[in-house]
């Protein structure tokens, strides 16, 4: 069983504040959410289904942003560390003609910024500005309560910047010098663990009761409903997951026989998992489980369609790779296969039977040419020209077999290094994000094994693309972490 979480995120942002900000009231949490709607629309992970790495980066950054915003809304909070975030921002009507650089061919660009403000409004403004999104709606929100200050009291447009000789002569400290030194220093793994290890340990210890509760709930529900597993598409916290399982447990008490339709059977995602949207009320879940038997026939027809496509393409295997493809329902995936099969059957391009046996392909709705992935499978657009596809596959088949062989070898090495790292550092859990490749994980583990890192003992360590301490104490480190002396 696969619980598909539709994220509900409370987020906010910041940049150079307009003058009216200084006379405005404090922003409430609900108003911040409204102010950030253009931002959410531009970075929401569900819009990056065809780009798994970018989707994963946005999901994790949104979680970290949520923690930051919740922290600055707590009364009396004392300290707040700067938080560096990376988002892939889609081209929208607001940011199409502005920004930090051109959009990629896929219609998005990477935006990096560091949050360090201590109030909600300035954070919201900074985020919107960083993503080249309009702030006019935020201005109108505040001016309705407090009018802007008179123009005659305007402050200078920008601070005065003195020549360095002024500070040398007067002995005053150059305020920009410290910022320059900080920007030149590069975060290293050792220094980051020194600064964050104790904080992560405390969070992990506080999360232990919730971890036990989650394991108990999963075990009870899996046994009660005779499920093979319960898992989540998105990496939400333990409290959120426990709440979801409590809801599912209450539903099981009320409609046990209906929910047993999921027993040992596939559901309605492309890979055969039952997907439950966490924003749906119980009667939606109940209707879904009642309809499950009707999906079993569709799944059988889908598997037959995959086999038929494979036969037309020389025995190639049609696969669906969750980590690399958008989340599709069973109906959506069947529709893709059906369109592609009809195009192939009309053309009947000649492939020698079983000549491509052992190779793999995934179908995509994107309108671009076929390609060969580094993991060995072919990316095939549904509407590509069959004759061009034949030439491409035949010319790249030897390389595809090499890539598949290398992938299998890397996976073995990766598993061995994960076990060795887990044992050396006495890790409670060691894992990676789906967007981290086996090649990147192997490189990361090899360098980790050459380090002495006492802070890792008993920790949950995740290899990602950035540094972070998650809300339940998991440590995230980038796969290409640096160590040694800071850059001068």
């Amino acid at each position: 069983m696969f619980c598909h979480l539709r994220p509900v995120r409370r987020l906010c942002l910041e940049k150079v504040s307009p003058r009216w900000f200084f006379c405005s009231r404090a922003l409430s949490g609900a108003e911040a959410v409204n102010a950030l709607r253009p931002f959410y629309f531009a970075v929401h992970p569900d819009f990056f289904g065809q780009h798994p790495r970018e989707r994963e980066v946005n999901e994790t950054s949104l979680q970290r942003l949520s923690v930051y915003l919740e922290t600055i809304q707590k009364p009396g909070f004392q300290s707040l560390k700067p938080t560096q975030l990376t988002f892939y921002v889609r081209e929208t009507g607001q940011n199409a003609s502005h920004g930090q650089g051109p959009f990629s061919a896929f219609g998005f660009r990477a935006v990096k910024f560091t949050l360090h403000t201590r109030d909600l409004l300035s954070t919201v403004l900074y985020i919107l500005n960083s993503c080249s999104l309009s702030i006019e709606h935020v201005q109108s929100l505040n001016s309705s309560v407090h009018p802007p200050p008179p123009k005659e009291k305007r402050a200078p447009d920008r601070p005065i910047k003195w020549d360095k000789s002024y500070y040398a002569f007067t002995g005053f400290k150059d305020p920009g010098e410290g910022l320059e030194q900080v920007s030149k220093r590069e975060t290293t793994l050792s220094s980051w663990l020194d600064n964050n290890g104790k904080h992560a340990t405390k969070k992990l210890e506080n999360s232990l009761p919730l971890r036990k509760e989650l394991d108990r709930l999963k075990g009870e529900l899996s046994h009660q409903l005779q499920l093979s597993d319960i898992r989540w598409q998105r990496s939400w916290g333990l409290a959120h997951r426990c709440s979801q399982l409590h809801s599912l447990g209450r539903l099981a008490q009320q409609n046990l026989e209906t929910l047993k339709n999921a027993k040992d059977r596939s559901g309605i995602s492309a890979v055969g998992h039952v997907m439950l949207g966490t924003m749906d009320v119980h009667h939606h879940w109940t209707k879904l489980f009642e309809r499950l038997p009707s999906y079993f026939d569709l799944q059988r027809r889908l598997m037959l369609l995959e086999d038929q496509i494979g036969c037309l393409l020389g025995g190639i295997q049609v696969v669906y790779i969750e980590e690399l493809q958008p989340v599709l329902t069973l109906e959506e995936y069947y529709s893709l296969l059906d369109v592609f099969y009809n195009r192939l059957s009309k053309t009947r391009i000649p492939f020698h039977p079983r000549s491509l046996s052992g190779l793999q392909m995934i179908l995509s709705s994107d309108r671009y040419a076929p390609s060969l992935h580094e993991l060995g499978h072919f990316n095939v657009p549904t509407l590509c020209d069959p004759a061009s596809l034949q030439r491409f596959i035949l010319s790249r088949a030897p390389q595809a077999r090499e890539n598949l062989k290398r992938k299998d070898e890397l996976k073995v090495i990766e598993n061995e290094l994960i076990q060795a790292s887990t044992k050396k550092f006495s890790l409670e859990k060691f894992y990676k994000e789906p967007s981290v490749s086996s090649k990147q994980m192997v490189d990361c583990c090899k360098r980790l094994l050459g380090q002495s890192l006492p802070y890792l003992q008993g920790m949950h360590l995740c290899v990602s693309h950035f540094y972070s301490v998650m809300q339940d104490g998991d440590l995230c480190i980038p796969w290409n972490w640096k160590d040694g002396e800071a850059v001068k």
Side-chain angles (χ1 to χ4, degrees):
M1 176 176 176
F2 179 78
C3 291
H4 172 199
L5 310 189
R6 294 178 185 171
V8 180
R9 301 176 172 93
R10 298 174 56 204
L11 312 177
C12 315
L13 333 173
E14 164 211 347
K15 194 167 183 176
V16 179
S17 306
R19 286 176 207 90
W20 49 263
F21 159 74
F22 298 102
C23 292
S24 62
R25 61 178 173 82
L27 203 65
S28 70
E31 289 170 335
V33 170
N34 275 334
L36 289 174
R37 286 188 184 278
F39 165 74
Y40 298 144
F41 182 72
V43 304
H44 198 289
D46 287 351
F47 289 110
F48 290 82
Q50 299 285 351
H51 309 281
R53 180 184 178 279
E54 288 78 8
R55 178 183 64 194
E56 187 76 21
V57 169
N58 280 11
E59 281 184 1
T60 308
S61 293
L62 283 171
Q63 291 178 49
R64 298 176 67 208
L65 177 56
S66 179
V67 172
Y68 186 95
L69 296 176
E70 288 178 4
T71 301
I72 64 176
Q73 292 181 71
K74 292 178 181 177
F77 78 94
Q78 297 297 320
S79 61
L80 188 67
K81 293 183 178 180
T83 300
Q84 187 177 44
L85 299 175
T86 298
F87 285 102
Y88 287 91
V89 181
R90 296 188 306 117
E91 181 177 4
T92 65
Q94 284 196 12
N95 61 11
S97 59
H98 306 84
Q100 301 173 340
F103 289 95
S104 71
F106 298 111
F108 57 77
R109 65 163 175 256
V111 174
K112 296 183 180 181
F113 53 85
T114 301
L115 297 179
H116 50 76
T117 49
R118 298 173 62 86
D119 67 273
L120 201 53
L121 178 55
S122 57
T123 304
V124 168
L125 293 170
Y126 180 61
I127 296 172
L128 293 173
N129 275 301
S130 297
C131 298
S132 303
L133 296 167
S134 172
I135 61 172
E136 291 180 2
H137 61 295
V138 188
Q139 182 173 2
S140 62
L141 178 83
N142 281 271
S143 60
S144 63
V145 179
H146 290 282
K151 291 185 178 180
E152 60 270 21
K153 295 184 179 180
R154 286 176 57 182
D157 285 341
R158 56 181 180 270
I160 298 173
K161 180 162 180 67
W162 298 98
D163 188 86
K164 292 188 180 292
S165 60
Y166 166 79
Y167 299 105
F169 179 77
T170 61
F172 293 151
K173 184 177 180 180
D174 183 355
E177 185 177 344
L179 293 175
E180 290 176 3
Q181 291 177 352
V182 170
S183 64
K184 289 180 180 179
R185 285 200 297 267
E186 186 174 19
T187 300
T188 65
L189 179 60
S190 298
S191 65
W192 188 81
L193 289 175
D194 287 342
N195 294 330
N196 295 275
K198 292 181 180 179
H199 177 56
T201 300
K202 184 177 180 180
K203 280 191 168 186
L204 182 62
E205 290 174 351
N206 292 338
S207 74
L208 292 180
L210 273 177
R211 294 181 187 274
K212 291 181 180 178
E213 174 70 359
L214 183 64
D215 289 340
R216 182 187 69 80
L217 290 171
K218 281 186 65 175
E220 289 181 357
L221 280 171
S222 295
H223 176 74
Q224 184 180 18
L225 302 177
Q226 301 181 50
L227 304 172
S228 60
D229 192 18
I230 301 175
R231 55 195 180 93
W232 287 259
Q233 181 193 353
R234 309 201 187 278
S235 304
W236 288 109
L238 296 169
H240 194 160
R241 296 186 180 199
C242 285
S243 175
Q244 292 154 10
L245 293 189
H246 278 299
S247 295
L248 187 59
R250 289 192 295 270
L251 186 61
Q253 292 177 354
Q254 301 164 9
N255 300 278
L256 182 59
E257 292 305 315
T258 299
L259 266 66
K260 281 188 175 180
N261 283 330
K263 171 188 174 183
D264 299 329
R265 301 307 300 263
S266 301
I268 57 172
S269 76
V271 288
H273 297 144
V274 178
M275 296 190 297
L276 300 181
T278 58
M279 295 301 294
D280 294 338
V281 292
H282 276 184
H283 77 270
H284 289 148
W285 285 8
T286 303
K287 288 181 179 179
L288 171 61
F289 282 106
E290 288 174 347
R291 294 198 308 268
L292 283 183
S294 66
Y295 285 99
F296 300 153
D297 178 61
L298 179 60
Q299 188 183 26
R300 285 191 291 268
R301 289 190 283 128
L302 183 148
M303 296 171 65
L304 176 62
L305 204 52
E306 288 179 332
D307 291 341
Q308 290 173 328
I309 292 172
C311 289
L312 291 175
L313 295 178
I316 197 170
Q317 182 185 10
V318 183
V319 296
Y320 181 94
I321 305 176
E322 276 188 283
E323 294 81 5
L324 301 177
Q325 293 181 257
V327 177
L328 298 176
T329 64
L330 199 65
E331 297 96 331
E332 290 170 337
Y333 187 47
Y334 182 87
S335 177
L336 273 182
L337 291 169
D338 189 52
V339 169
F340 186 67
Y341 173 74
N342 288 332
R343 289 176 64 86
L344 282 181
S345 59
K346 290 177 182 178
T347 309
R348 289 286 180 177
I349 53 177
F351 276 100
H352 192 278
R354 313 302 299 171
S355 61
L356 300 180
S357 179
L359 297 182
Q360 298 177 341
M361 60 165 279
I362 64 174
L363 267 182
S364 167
S365 58
D366 285 348
R367 294 175 179 268
Y368 54 79
S371 61
L372 176 62
H373 195 276
E374 63 177 5
L375 297 181
H377 60 268
F378 289 97
N379 291 309
V380 179
T382 310
L383 300 179
C384 69
D385 175 59
S388 299
L389 176 64
Q390 180 196 29
R391 290 193 297 270
F392 181 82
I393 290 181
L394 291 178
S395 65
R396 300 297 181 89
Q399 184 62 50
R401 296 189 189 279
E402 287 295 321
N403 288 5
L404 285 171
K405 180 181 178 182
R406 179 58 180 159
K407 180 189 74 170
D408 294 338
E409 294 172 347
L410 270 176
K411 196 64 183 176
V412 172
I413 297 172
E414 178 188 14
N415 291 336
E416 292 174 349
L417 290 172
I418 288 176
Q419 293 177 12
S421 300
T422 303
K423 182 177 180 180
K424 174 176 179 176
F425 300 112
S426 300
L427 292 165
E428 183 67 24
K429 184 178 180 181
F430 188 30
Y431 61 104
K432 68 173 185 176
E433 290 184 348
S435 56
V436 176
S437 68
S438 292
K439 184 177 179 181
Q440 292 169 334
M441 188 66 170
V442 166
D443 177 69
C444 175
C445 290
K446 284 182 177 178
R447 293 186 297 115
L448 274 179
L449 289 170
Q451 301 292 313
S452 176
L453 304 168
Y455 272 126
L456 293 183
Q457 183 173 355
M459 298 302 296
H460 291 230
L461 182 64
C462 173
V463 175
S464 177
H465 297 276
F466 41 75
Y467 290 104
S468 176
V469 177
M470 304 307 286
Q471 62 190 73
D472 297 308
D474 291 41
L475 285 167
C476 289
I477 64 170
W479 68 269
N480 56 344
W481 53 268
K482 302 292 189 298
D483 212 355
E485 295 296 326
V487 177
K488 299 296 185 182

